[in-house]
Amino acid sequence: MSVPAIKSSEEAIKIEEKYGAHNYHPLPAVLSKGEGVFMWDVEGKKYYDFLAAYSAVNQGHCHPKIVDAMIDQAKTLSLTSRAFYNDILGKYEKFATEYFGFDKLLPMNTGAEAVETAIKICRKWAYERKGIPETEAQIIVAENNFHGRTTTIISFSNDEGARKNFGPYTPGFIKIPYDDTEALQKVLEENKNVAGFLVEPIQGEAGVYVPTEGYLRKAKELCKKHNVLFIADEIQSGIARTGKLLAVDHEDVKPDMITLGKALSGGVYPVSAVLANDEVMNVIQPGQHGSTFGGNPVAGAVAIAALEVIRDEKLAENSMKMGEIFRKELNKYIENSSVVHKVRGKGLMNAILINDSEDSSTAWDICMALKENGLLAKPTHGNIIRFTPPLVITEEQIMDCVSIITKTLDQFEGKM
Ligand SMILES: *Cc1c(COP(=O)(O)O)cnc(C)c1O
């Protein structure tokens, strides 16, 4: 029994393959260091990170301010559990609720836990405030959603891989097409037991699917009219990713509840949260929900620092600006491309659509070539590549990346 020394990427991949569960299919890059928009592999090759850990690393890798906050707090007090108070949690809650404009925050650790929490709060609100008969509450969700991996959440996924043989599934969810307010209106009018509508303001895992302008505003209006909670899952789209603090801000929509995770910690520590106003959050009383690590002092200190970095470094503004440059440049390229037919997104949450079928390996092959050329990105589906670099990226770096991406795509032109 000993801890092995890792001397090569090949070796690292081999031992993971042998000793780790095969629940992921990573691109074969073995990373050992990160700083800002860059990561380095075991052999010392440098890459632009164009995934940013699914938008958890919006503030850039190993941001010194966030890392220092974590180290200082870890050396002082790391965990008390919520059996006692700690001197960070309240500070963090006041800061974060003012930052996002809600009355209260419920702290959890991972994104899926935040979504589970929102579902529980929504159901409880439905029974205790709206008067829906107990166990009858329904939550409307969108097709092709991604909200995490727990048994309840995969119950309303339509990704076969995520669902198959994990049943029996949790009931109480009604699935409607995304970006379809008529479908939403129809369910709301026909079903008196709807408690909430849970939606991603931009669908991330579905391939950065941006809804029609006005969708979120109309959906919120419909929810309000039918006394249904509008719940925005901003775990991926929030915290400056799309060029605004929250993606719902593009349409000036105020959700009844939001879920946050990922960049809430700048990627250094798992931190998630649900935010809502008192009339919703107050349905939760002692003993009804919790988590041993949720709201721990390290998480609080890290989240405060992560949110300060977003604000102080004006990362929403930079995301907006850099995203516009990125899409403009790629649009120029695709005018004459047979490989890519569309670039879509908001701020620095973007994707390109490849001219091939969803079950093809083209997007994967392009990502492998991008890796060779010094840029790491990951396909979502066989024909979509997501581009979500850290938001600290500069104009010069964006132009360098556009050049890497277009040169790589050139290698595939005429071959398909
Ligand atoms: C990543 C993600 C989640 C799940 O977060 P985990 O931390 O992986 O559990 C939920 N919702 C959305 C929109 C996400 O992108």
Side-chain angles (χ1 to χ4, degrees):
M1 211 191 332
S2 68
V3 180
I6 298 296
K7 292 188 212 72
S8 72
S9 291
E10 201 190 340
E11 201 182 352
I13 291 169
K14 255 195 207 144
I15 58 168
E16 263 201 43
E17 186 76 13
K18 180 156 166 42
Y19 296 102
H22 293 179
N23 57 331
Y24 276 90
H25 179 40
L27 220 78
V30 181
L31 302 158
S32 58
K33 187 182 145 174
E35 189 186 318
V37 297
F38 297 110
M39 294 198 286
W40 287 262
D41 70 15
V42 173
E43 281 75 23
K45 185 174 162 77
K46 182 179 180 183
Y47 303 93
Y48 281 104
D49 179 5
F50 256 52
L51 182 63
Y54 300 97
S55 296
V57 190
N58 287 0
Q59 297 87 337
H61 285 279
C62 300
H63 194 292
K65 182 169 170 177
I66 306 172
V67 172
D68 285 348
M70 178 163 75
I71 293 170
D72 288 348
Q73 189 57 46
K75 284 180 169 171
T76 311
L77 180 66
S78 64
L79 184 62
T80 55
S81 84
R82 300 285 303 275
F84 312 108
Y85 290 88
N86 69 64
D87 64 352
I88 303 292
L89 180 57
K91 216 161 84 164
Y92 160 52
E93 288 169 334
K94 177 171 194 293
F95 179 67
T97 49
E98 287 172 3
Y99 194 98
F100 291 102
F102 289 90
D103 293 339
K104 281 191 169 56
L105 176 151
L106 195 156
M108 296 295 280
N109 311 286
T110 66
E113 282 177 314
V115 173
E116 288 276 349
T117 302
I119 291 168
K120 286 176 70 177
I121 295 170
C122 180
R123 286 178 169 181
K124 208 154 190 300
W125 172 87
Y127 302 129
E128 295 174 8
R129 299 288 191 275
K130 186 168 173 173
I132 291 177
E134 207 187 326
T135 75
E136 298 288 314
Q138 302 287 316
I139 294 175
I140 303 174
V141 296
E143 279 168 15
N144 299 322
N145 66 72
F146 182 84
H147 297 288
R149 299 293 199 167
T150 63
T151 30
T152 287
I153 293 170
I154 56 109
S155 295
F156 55 82
S157 161
N158 46 346
D159 173 349
E160 259 312 285
R163 274 173 66 87
K164 195 169 161 30
N165 290 337
F166 293 121
Y169 303 114
T170 308
F173 298 95
I174 300 172
K175 212 180 295 162
I176 59 168
Y178 188 63
D179 196 16
D180 186 341
T181 47
E182 275 169 35
L184 178 63
Q185 182 165 6
K186 191 158 178 286
V187 176
L188 290 172
E189 280 168 3
E190 287 172 0
N191 195 322
K192 293 287 154 252
N193 291 336
V194 177
F197 174 47
L198 168 65
V199 71
E200 296 159 87
I202 292 178
Q203 285 191 326
E205 298 311 297
V208 186
Y209 194 95
V210 183
T212 320
E213 166 84 44
Y215 170 64
L216 300 169
R217 205 176 315 124
K218 178 79 189 169
K220 161 77 204 214
E221 255 170 52
L222 287 167
C223 287
K224 190 164 180 213
K225 184 173 165 203
H226 293 270
N227 193 24
V228 156
L229 300 183
F230 181 86
I231 309 164
D233 181 349
E234 292 267 11
I235 290 167
Q236 188 166 150
S237 59
I239 315 196
R241 172 50 60 187
T242 69
K244 301 264 187 189
L245 181 58
L246 297 174
V248 289
D249 294 343
H250 287 283
E251 296 193 12
D252 289 320
V253 167
K254 178 89 188 169
D256 298 299
M257 205 161 16
I258 62 168
T259 55
L260 296 174
K262 295 193 169 123
L264 185 53
S265 72
V268 306
Y269 196 83
V271 184
S272 72
V274 174
L275 288 128
N277 283 343
D278 282 336
E279 61 268 26
V280 173
M281 197 64 98
N282 285 347
V283 301
I284 293 289
Q285 293 301 314
Q288 296 170 350
H289 190 58
S291 154
T292 302
F293 280 85
N296 73 75
V298 176
V302 161
I304 290 171
L307 292 173
E308 281 177 343
V309 167
I310 294 282
R311 182 194 62 198
D312 297 345
E313 299 187 14
K314 299 190 168 42
L315 295 185
E317 291 88 332
N318 194 57
S319 173
M320 185 79 103
K321 235 190 277 166
M322 295 305 118
E324 270 157 23
I325 294 170
F326 184 74
R327 284 187 301 280
K328 188 171 123 228
E329 293 298 322
L330 282 191
N331 272 317
K332 270 192 234 161
Y333 176 84
I334 64 179
E335 274 174 32
N336 299 306
S337 173
S338 65
V339 178
V340 180
H341 66 90
K342 195 180 168 96
V343 52
R344 68 181 177 207
K346 275 207 165 113
L348 282 173
M349 186 172 183
N350 294 293
I352 55 170
L353 310 194
I354 310 290
N355 269 326
D356 209 337
S357 62
E358 190 165 323
D359 57 9
S360 74
S361 67
T362 309
W364 176 272
D365 297 341
I366 292 171
C367 287
M368 288 295 287
L370 284 169
K371 171 185 178 289
E372 283 312 302
N373 296 334
L375 186 145
L376 291 174
K378 191 89 199 286
T380 96
H381 310 282
N383 55 359
I384 303 175
I385 301 173
R386 167 176 26 205
F387 289 132
T388 53
L391 309 181
V392 294
I393 198 163
T394 65
E395 183 165 350
E396 196 187 340
Q397 290 167 337
I398 271 280
M399 293 309 290
D400 194 21
C401 292
V402 166
S403 150
I404 293 172
I405 292 166
T406 55
K407 273 190 200 132
T408 306
L409 291 171
D410 268 337
Q411 296 170 226
F412 289 80
E413 298 289 351
K415 285 192 193 157
M416 295 169 50

